Amino acid sequence: WEGSLVKCTGRPVGVIRSQKKYTNFELVVRWRHLKSGGNSGVFVWASEVGLKDLKPNQLPRAGIEIQVLDHGYSEQYEKSSGKKADWFTTHGDVFPVGGSKMTPFPPISPNGSRSFPSKHVSKGVGEWNHYFVRCVAGDVRLWVNGEQVSGGKNCEPRTGYLCLESEGAPVEFDHMRIRELP
């Protein structure tokens, strides 16, 4: 899927993954949500175990997620749950999933598991956002629209598949490029 426009309806919830595993690499991808409140993500270092026997409407059980949320998600979450949206942001959170591990870079979410973005530079529904992700020696760093905003170190696993996630709403990914590093 490198370089191609990938259109996801969001249903069923799920991921597509790379054919090969990556360890040290740089990833560039543009994305945009087509509906307010869209939820998606880019997984790096998703493990074989975390992807094994994955069925429709299931998400990886291991890997590092680079969150792709539309700004409308916060408002919808607060309306439906009656709780404040203080445990996530819509500007590029980075966090471990399942049994994966990561020491997040500050600022850190209230529960200590997520690297919150240091700047809020994501664009809204229908607008293209640009992610640059650099993964080297167990460190992951995210740039959103040209600004380094979040990441983490001491990631486990630090080798695995790349995945594009679609979680219930239409999203598009475009201009994807992967460059392996030594």
Side-chain angles (χ1 to χ4, degrees), residues 2-41:
E2 190 170 331
S4 301
L5 175 64
V6 176
K7 295 181 178 191
C8 303
T9 64
R11 302 201 191 287
V13 167
V15 296
I16 59 172
R17 73 162 175 85
S18 60
Q19 291 183 357
K20 64 181 274 186
K21 294 179 182 179
Y22 293 88
T23 302
N24 297 321
F25 62 92
E26 294 174 336
L27 169 71
V28 174
V29 63
R30 285 191 334 151
W31 62 267
R32 69 177 174 181
H33 283 290
L34 302 177
K35 181 179 175 188
S36 180
N39 183 355
S40 190

Side-chain angles (χ1 to χ4, degrees), residues 98-171:
S100 299
K101 294 180 174 30
M102 180 186 88
T103 304
F105 294 156
I108 299 173
S109 63
N111 72 0
S113 69
R114 290 177 177 233
S115 173
F116 274 0
S118 57
K119 297 178 182 179
H120 292 180
V121 293
S122 287
K123 299 174 185 172
V125 67
E127 295 184 78
W128 286 104
N129 287 279
H130 181 274
Y131 273 14
F132 173 75
V133 181
R134 190 165 204 273
C135 297
V136 176
D139 285 9
V140 58
R141 296 174 187 274
L142 171 65
W143 284 256
V144 176
N145 297 322
E147 301 274 347
Q148 185 174 348
V149 297
S150 55
K153 62 183 181 178
N154 305 319
C155 295
E156 289 295 338
R158 53 184 64 186
T159 293
Y161 296 100
L162 306 178
C163 300
L164 298 178
E165 173 197 47
S166 183
E167 198 170 342
V171 63

Side-chain angles (χ1 to χ4, degrees), residues 30-97:
R30 285 191 334 151
W31 62 267
R32 69 177 174 181
H33 283 290
L34 302 177
K35 181 179 175 188
S36 180
N39 183 355
S40 190
V42 175
F43 278 79
V44 299
W45 297 323
S47 71
E48 192 108 26
V49 171
L51 294 168
K52 186 176 169 71
D53 299 325
L54 210 57
K55 308 260 187 302
N57 291 311
Q58 291 181 331
L59 296 173
R61 295 175 294 279
I64 306 299
E65 183 170 352
I66 297 149
Q67 188 73 71
V68 172
L69 278 181
D70 175 65
H71 301 311
Y73 191 88
S74 297
E75 182 182 324
Q76 291 173 19
Y77 172 83
E78 289 181 357
K79 273 186 186 173
S80 68
S81 72
K83 298 177 186 171
K84 183 132 177 69
D86 61 356
W87 60 274
F88 66 88
T89 79
T90 61
H91 295 275
D93 296 10
V94 178
F95 56 95
V97 173

